[in-house]
Amino acid sequence: MKAVVCRSPGELVLEDRPAPGAPPAGWALVAVSHVGICGTDYHIFEGKHPFLAYPRIMGHEVSGTVIEVGEDVDLSVGEAVIVNPYLACGKCIACRQGKPNCCVRIEVLGVHRDGAMCEQVLVPAQNLYPANGLSLADAAAVEFLAIGAHAVRRSLANPDARTLVIGAGPIGLGTALFARIAGLNVTLLDMSAERLGFAESELGFATLDGSQGATADLVREATGGDGFDVVFDATGNTRSVQSAFAHVAHGGALVLVSVVKDDIAFSDPEFHKREMMLIGSRNALRADFDHVAASIRNGAVPLAKLVTHRTTLGETPRDLARWAHEKSGLIKAVIEVGS
């Protein structure tokens, strides 16, 4: 089969690789249809991912069609599926508590093991969800949107809560969209006038331009000095995360959607006097995938606006390398692998 392989940082090639072969019991063989390109993929290409061994086939935002099943699999050959790329052990404390998204021994397709920038991939059947009428192109967007949907569910925010989403990249925009779907009153904060312009004109969000002054002053002015009831940080930036504590209203919550590799420092007196909640959000669960798929079906998610760039498997080495640096106009890029 054809596969796009990141051999080493900065080296991305199209190779012939052995096909995965027949699926074992409990697994299915999937013909890959579409793959979204994630920020993680750009980081892998640039050599910025801290826990990755090269060479690696990237790709974890995936849709496809079942072409063969192992024993004890309740899926039909020919069925269109959404791939949940978080492979959990099923035995650790997180899995036993129904939280496979934060499994102690989790493996993510395209990160810890080879992913789906290729023509076929083996996946545990429990990680395949019927697309149920979604187009395969739309089905490939479910995973990245589920990250934000999960974060919103984790926030426990009440409807009409005054909400700030920091970071207007794909994950931040997805978080903002699902916060709005949940009935929250959403404002987006970013340093990029271009991304904020997109969020305003195409998605209808209120925005704060972080390049136009101290963010603390902008937040104070936007909220009459109260702060936001719930703040989501989706920047992956240490300074942004640390600053976000000050944007939370008394009695509010800060949800860390993105992850940073550094230690986070904050003022304990400020944290305690607000009786803040600090919430980590990692990956997503089946309920989040189902919620996203239903929201796409009912037209609540403007996917046609979010997917701004498209390519093919053969052109991915050239295009992904270019898009890693040419960000203007780029929200979400998708690879069409099969028909």
Side-chain angles (χ1 to χ4, degrees), residues 1-88:
M1 66 174 182
K2 298 293 184 183
V4 172
V5 182
C6 192
R7 291 177 175 170
S8 61
E11 185 183 9
L12 199 61
V13 296
L14 185 69
E15 288 185 358
D16 286 314
R17 284 286 187 99
W27 290 59
L29 181 64
V30 175
V32 177
S33 176
H34 291 74
V35 182
I37 301 176
C38 175
T40 298
D41 301 319
Y42 295 119
H43 291 156
I44 292 170
F45 171 72
E46 294 171 325
K48 297 178 180 179
H49 198 288
F51 308 114
L52 186 120
Y54 296 90
R56 177 64 71 226
I57 299 174
M58 301 181 293
H60 61 271
E61 302 175 6
V62 192
S63 68
T65 303
V66 176
I67 53 176
E68 189 176 350
V69 298
E71 294 181 7
D72 303 319
V73 172
D74 189 22
L75 289 167
S76 301
V77 171
E79 189 165 6
V81 290
I82 302 160
V83 176
N84 177 338
Y86 325 127
L87 277 56

Side-chain angles (χ1 to χ4, degrees), residues 74 77 86 110 152 167-168 176 202 213 227 245 254 275 305 311 316 325 333:
D74 189 22
V77 171
Y86 325 127
V152 171
E202 299 299 322
F245 283 81
L254 172 59
E275 198 181 48
K305 295 180 179 179
T311 188
T316 294
H325 305 288

